[in-house]
Amino acid sequence: MKNNLCLNINGFEITVDELPSNVLKKLKLDFSFYLKKNQEILKSFKIYVKSERILIPKDLGASKQSDNSITFDYQGIRYNDYYGEAITKFYYKEEICEIFCENENFLHELVYLLILSRSGKFMDTIGLHKLHACGVNIHKKNILLMMDSKGGKTSTFVELLRDQETRIISDDSPIITRNGDVKEFPLRIGFENKDQFQSKFPYIKEDDIYEFKRKNYSKKWLVSLVNLKNKIGLSKRTILIQGLRSTYKEPKIVKIGRIAMFRYLCRHMIVGVGLPLILEYFLQNTLLDHVKNLKILLSRTMGALALVYKSENYIIYCSSNIVLNGQSIKDYFYEK
């Protein structure tokens, strides 16, 4: 029996064939909310895991190079050499990718990010844009918290989920429509310290926590949404918060204007700094793709303007106490 994964992310169907059983299990936990149901399919993307090494044509010059890979383009096909650890062959026109990777940890990371990259590009084209933020629903309010990397966003998100009445929108990237409405994008949640994770969710069993060993980053401990007691949910009212580090002993929340908040959205939504993806599967070098990317930029800008207009906009100056930061958000917006 083939080890296949099939997902549907907002109309984007993804199938992955011939996965090692351990990698398949983890990806099903990662994307449990999107395991294929009877949903409309607007576009399909296929990934094939190959058992034999993919050969890159000879006499090609690299079209780009990064710390992650060397990219070669040839007759509508893109080859990526991950410095010997993996090789991919991507057919842009057919939306097909072949992967050769013998390291199961790297295969898990590569397929995970590849799915996010291609589904993200598709959603951008239909007016569904990711915001680099964590999102929860508290007291019938969507709370979207933006912070720069290493700012404490995930820790605050996990702290808010200790209350089982808190509903999940997204750990890292809620979806914003072109009209400024919020959509859920719930994936597995991760923590870099396993002991802290278990202390926050004592009901989670040891076997429900799994590893995510990343190539260029520290290891994470993951839990699927199916193992959390928090449900997924949205409301019409949205609170948009920019989190900033501070030296305050206690966190301080202040309301700000739309123009000030839009400046933060330029970074976290329009540019999308910090969003997980693999650029070699998101960006092409063709004129048509540059036009498409310009349309995406304009659509993101429209969505950001609509979001800031519809939302109530705040800054939280965070203290060094994560528990206090989370409690302050819950208390401040309880009656707001």
Side-chain angles (χ1 to χ4, degrees), residues 38-98:
N38 293 325
Q39 298 171 305
E40 182 182 10
I41 298 172
L42 301 176
K43 194 171 184 178
S44 295
F45 174 54
K46 298 183 183 297
I47 302 173
Y48 297 98
V49 179
K50 311 297 286 186
S51 58
E52 297 181 357
R53 178 174 288 273
I54 295 170
L55 299 178
I56 300 175
K58 295 182 179 180
D59 301 323
L60 294 181
S63 54
K64 63 179 68 175
Q65 184 170 355
S66 69
D67 292 339
N68 294 322
S69 67
I70 307 173
T71 298
F72 302 90
D73 290 299
Y74 179 69
Q75 296 183 349
I77 300 173
R78 173 163 290 181
Y79 298 86
N80 291 290
D81 181 355
Y82 291 87
Y83 298 104
E85 293 189 59
I87 296 176
T88 65
K89 185 178 181 180
F90 190 79
Y91 303 80
Y92 274 106
K93 187 176 181 180
E94 295 84 2
E95 284 285 352
I96 292 174
C97 185
E98 298 175 353

